[in-house]
Amino acid sequence: MNGHVKSMHFQQFMEPATTLLSLLLVMAVDSTRTVAASRNQQCGNSVQTLKLTRLIQKESVDLIKTYKASQGEMSKLFCKVSVNNVPDPDISGLEPSETIASIYTHLQAFLPHLKRVYEQQTDLQPPTSPLLTELSDVSAHNRHLAALISSFYQSLFPNLPVPEPAGGPTTLPPPQNVFQQKVYGCVVLKTYKELLSNVSRELRTLKSKVCRGRM
């Protein structure tokens, strides 16, 4: 076999190899871009979620002030009374997946309590009361935040199921007199504000991890 034939055989051998190498390089670049795009989206989700949490946290501070101003005498004492059946505001979990799951279940657990407070205050306040508007807004924002947390959780851990509130549905208090309703409402809102403070702290930590690609 002369040199020309050998050269032709070598070129015929190299062409598929070169094509395969080019294809692998394109796939590697696309994969890298996909991972980078996914991380950017997750980082964006974490930032958006943290911003909404801070907004609701500020709203909760203003809401408690409006609530106390709407309850008449002894309103400053209402939040200091101990009440059963109000969810714990503390977030649990050592791993990011456990922390986000805990945030989600806590937000879900507070939904029926916020609804109950709104219903009770509807009977106690005039229809034009700003308290009713603020209670409605906070409940709506809480549902939106829970949905964002769920989406954030699924983007980070697509193979894990969305968590459900531990122990089943939250237990609401039995029928209450007016004084008990005012106390219950104040304690729910105060505890909810504590929850948002804890959520904000945990989300700041998660954001620093997600946006640096260290999850």
Side-chain angles (χ1 to χ4, degrees), residues 75-112:
S75 60
K76 293 183 179 180
L77 302 177
F78 292 155
C79 285
K80 298 180 181 180
V81 180
S82 177
V83 175
N84 296 326
N85 300 325
V86 176
D88 187 341
D90 295 330
I91 304 300
S92 61
L94 298 176
E95 298 296 327
S97 60
E98 297 170 341
T99 300
I100 300 174
S102 179
I103 291 173
Y104 178 76
T105 56
H106 276 72
L107 291 173
Q108 292 282 48
F110 266 91
L111 277 173

Coordinates of all heavy atoms in Angstrom, one line a residue, residues 75-112:
S75 N -55.9 46.3 74.5 CA -55.4 45.7 73.3 C -53.9 45.3 73.5 O -53.4 44.4 72.9 CB -55.6 46.6 72.1 OG -54.9 47.9 72.4
K76 N -53.2 46.1 74.3 CA -51.7 45.9 74.5 C -51.5 44.5 75.2 O -50.4 44.0 75.2 CB -51.1 47.0 75.2 CG -51.1 48.3 74.5 CD -50.4 49.4 75.2 CE -50.3 50.7 74.5 NZ -49.7 51.8 75.2
L77 N -52.5 44.1 75.9 CA -52.3 42.8 76.7 C -52.7 41.6 75.9 O -52.3 40.5 76.3 CB -53.2 42.9 78.0 CG -52.9 44.0 78.9 CD1 -53.9 44.0 80.1 CD2 -51.5 44.0 79.5
F78 N -53.4 41.7 74.8 CA -53.9 40.6 74.1 C -52.8 39.7 73.6 O -52.9 38.4 73.7 CB -54.8 41.0 72.9 CG -56.1 41.7 73.3 CD1 -56.7 42.6 72.5 CD2 -56.6 41.4 74.6 CE1 -57.9 43.2 72.9 CE2 -57.8 42.0 75.0 CZ -58.5 42.9 74.1
C79 N -51.7 40.2 73.1 CA -50.6 39.4 72.5 C -49.8 38.7 73.6 O -49.0 37.8 73.2 CB -49.7 40.3 71.6 SG -50.5 40.8 70.1
K80 N -50.0 39.0 74.8 CA -49.2 38.5 75.9 C -49.8 37.2 76.5 O -49.2 36.5 77.3 CB -48.9 39.5 77.0 CG -48.1 40.7 76.5 CD -47.9 41.7 77.6 CE -47.1 42.9 77.0 NZ -46.9 43.9 78.1
V81 N -51.1 37.0 76.1 CA -51.8 35.8 76.7 C -51.4 34.6 75.9 O -51.2 34.6 74.7 CB -53.3 36.0 76.6 CG1 -54.1 34.8 77.1 CG2 -53.7 37.3 77.3
S82 N -51.3 33.4 76.6 CA -50.9 32.2 76.0 C -52.2 31.6 75.3 O -53.3 31.6 75.9 CB -50.4 31.2 77.1 OG -50.1 29.9 76.5
V83 N -52.0 31.1 74.1 CA -53.1 30.5 73.3 C -52.6 29.1 72.8 O -51.5 29.0 72.2 CB -53.5 31.4 72.2 CG1 -54.6 30.7 71.3 CG2 -54.0 32.7 72.8
N84 N -53.5 28.1 72.9 CA -53.2 26.8 72.3 C -53.6 26.8 70.8 O -54.3 27.7 70.3 CB -54.0 25.7 73.0 CG -53.6 25.6 74.5 OD1 -52.4 25.8 74.8 ND2 -54.5 25.3 75.4
N85 N -53.1 25.8 70.1 CA -53.4 25.5 68.7 C -52.8 26.5 67.7 O -53.1 26.3 66.5 CB -55.0 25.5 68.6 CG -55.7 24.5 69.4 OD1 -55.1 23.4 69.6 ND2 -56.8 24.8 69.9
V86 N -52.0 27.4 68.1 CA -51.3 28.3 67.2 C -50.0 27.6 66.7 O -49.3 27.2 67.6 CB -51.0 29.7 67.8 CG1 -50.3 30.5 66.8 CG2 -52.3 30.4 68.2
P87 N -49.8 27.5 65.4 CA -48.6 26.8 64.9 C -47.3 27.4 65.5 O -47.2 28.6 65.8 CB -48.6 27.0 63.4 CG -50.1 27.2 63.1 CD -50.6 28.0 64.3
D88 N -46.3 26.5 65.6 CA -44.9 26.9 66.1 C -44.3 27.7 65.0 O -44.3 27.3 63.8 CB -44.2 25.7 66.4 CG -42.8 26.0 67.0 OD1 -42.3 27.1 66.9 OD2 -42.2 25.0 67.7
P89 N -43.6 28.9 65.3 CA -43.0 29.7 64.2 C -41.6 29.2 63.9 O -40.9 29.8 63.0 CB -42.9 31.1 64.8 CG -42.8 30.8 66.3 CD -43.6 29.6 66.6
D90 N -41.0 28.2 64.6 CA -39.6 27.8 64.4 C -39.5 26.9 63.2 O -40.2 25.9 63.0 CB -39.1 27.1 65.6 CG -39.0 28.1 66.8 OD1 -38.8 29.3 66.6 OD2 -39.1 27.6 68.0
I91 N -38.5 27.2 62.3 CA -38.2 26.4 61.2 C -37.2 25.3 61.6 O -36.2 25.5 62.3 CB -37.5 27.3 60.0 CG1 -38.5 28.4 59.7 CG2 -37.3 26.4 58.8 CD1 -39.8 28.0 59.2
S92 N -37.4 24.1 61.1 CA -36.5 22.9 61.4 C -35.8 22.5 60.1 O -36.1 22.9 59.0 CB -37.4 21.8 62.0 OG -38.4 21.4 61.1
G93 N -34.9 21.5 60.3 CA -34.2 20.9 59.2 C -32.7 21.3 59.1 O -32.4 22.4 59.3
L94 N -31.9 20.3 58.9 CA -30.5 20.5 58.8 C -30.0 20.6 57.3 O -29.1 21.4 57.0 CB -29.7 19.3 59.4 CG -29.9 19.1 60.9 CD1 -29.2 17.8 61.4 CD2 -29.5 20.3 61.7
E95 N -30.7 19.9 56.4 CA -30.4 20.0 55.0 C -31.3 21.0 54.3 O -32.4 21.3 54.8 CB -30.6 18.6 54.3 CG -29.7 17.5 54.9 CD -28.3 17.7 54.6 OE1 -28.0 18.3 53.5 OE2 -27.4 17.4 55.4
P96 N -30.8 21.6 53.2 CA -31.6 22.6 52.5 C -33.0 22.1 52.2 O -34.0 22.8 52.3 CB -30.8 22.9 51.3 CG -29.4 22.7 51.7 CD -29.4 21.5 52.6
S97 N -33.1 20.8 51.7 CA -34.4 20.3 51.4 C -35.4 20.3 52.6 O -36.5 20.6 52.5 CB -34.3 18.9 50.8 OG -33.7 18.0 51.7
E98 N -34.8 19.9 53.7 CA -35.6 19.9 55.0 C -36.0 21.3 55.4 O -37.2 21.5 55.9 CB -34.8 19.2 56.1 CG -34.5 17.7 55.8 CD -33.5 17.1 56.8 OE1 -32.8 17.9 57.5 OE2 -33.4 15.9 56.9
T99 N -35.1 22.2 55.2 CA -35.4 23.6 55.6 C -36.5 24.2 54.8 O -37.5 24.8 55.3 CB -34.2 24.5 55.5 OG1 -33.2 24.0 56.4 CG2 -34.5 25.9 55.9
I100 N -36.4 24.0 53.4 CA -37.4 24.6 52.5 C -38.8 23.9 52.8 O -39.8 24.5 52.7 CB -37.0 24.4 51.1 CG1 -35.7 25.2 50.8 CG2 -38.1 25.0 50.1 CD1 -35.1 25.0 49.5
A101 N -38.7 22.6 53.0 CA -40.0 21.8 53.3 C -40.6 22.3 54.6 O -41.9 22.5 54.6 CB -39.7 20.3 53.4
S102 N -39.8 22.6 55.6 CA -40.3 23.1 56.8 C -41.0 24.5 56.6 O -42.0 24.8 57.2 CB -39.2 23.2 57.9 OG -39.7 23.8 59.1
I103 N -40.3 25.4 55.8 CA -40.9 26.7 55.5 C -42.3 26.6 54.9 O -43.2 27.2 55.3 CB -39.9 27.5 54.6 CG1 -38.7 27.9 55.4 CG2 -40.6 28.7 54.1 CD1 -37.6 28.5 54.5
Y104 N -42.3 25.7 53.9 CA -43.6 25.5 53.2 C -44.7 25.0 54.1 O -45.8 25.5 54.0 CB -43.3 24.5 52.0 CG -44.6 24.2 51.2 CD1 -45.1 25.1 50.3 CD2 -45.2 23.0 51.4 CE1 -46.2 24.8 49.5 CE2 -46.4 22.7 50.7 CZ -46.8 23.6 49.7 OH -48.0 23.3 49.0
T105 N -44.4 24.0 54.9 CA -45.5 23.4 55.7 C -45.9 24.4 56.8 O -47.1 24.4 57.1 CB -45.0 22.1 56.4 OG1 -43.8 22.4 57.1 CG2 -44.7 21.0 55.4
H106 N -45.0 25.2 57.3 CA -45.4 26.3 58.3 C -46.3 27.3 57.6 O -47.3 27.7 58.2 CB -44.1 26.9 58.8 CG -43.5 26.2 60.0 ND1 -42.9 25.0 59.8 CD2 -43.5 26.4 61.3 CE1 -42.4 24.6 61.0 NE2 -42.8 25.4 61.9
L107 N -46.0 27.8 56.4 CA -46.8 28.8 55.7 C -48.2 28.2 55.5 O -49.2 28.9 55.7 CB -46.2 29.2 54.4 CG -44.9 30.0 54.5 CD1 -44.3 30.2 53.1 CD2 -45.1 31.3 55.2
Q108 N -48.3 26.9 55.1 CA -49.5 26.3 54.9 C -50.3 26.1 56.2 O -51.6 26.3 56.2 CB -49.3 24.9 54.3 CG -48.8 24.9 52.8 CD -49.9 25.2 51.8 OE1 -50.6 26.2 52.0 NE2 -49.9 24.4 50.8
A109 N -49.6 25.9 57.3 CA -50.3 25.7 58.5 C -51.0 27.0 59.0 O -52.0 26.9 59.7 CB -49.3 25.2 59.6
F110 N -50.4 28.1 58.7 CA -50.9 29.4 59.1 C -52.1 29.8 58.3 O -52.9 30.7 58.8 CB -49.9 30.5 59.2 CG -49.2 30.6 60.5 CD1 -48.0 29.9 60.8 CD2 -49.7 31.5 61.4 CE1 -47.4 30.0 62.0 CE2 -49.1 31.6 62.7 CZ -47.9 30.9 62.9
L111 N -52.3 29.3 57.1 CA -53.4 29.8 56.3 C -54.8 29.7 56.9 O -55.5 30.7 56.9 CB -53.4 29.0 55.0 CG -52.4 29.5 53.9 CD1 -52.4 28.5 52.7 CD2 -52.8 30.9 53.4
P112 N -55.2 28.6 57.5 CA -56.5 28.5 58.1 C -56.6 29.4 59.3 O -57.7 29.9 59.6 CB -56.7 27.0 58.5 CG -55.3 26.5 58.6 CD -54.5 27.2 57.5

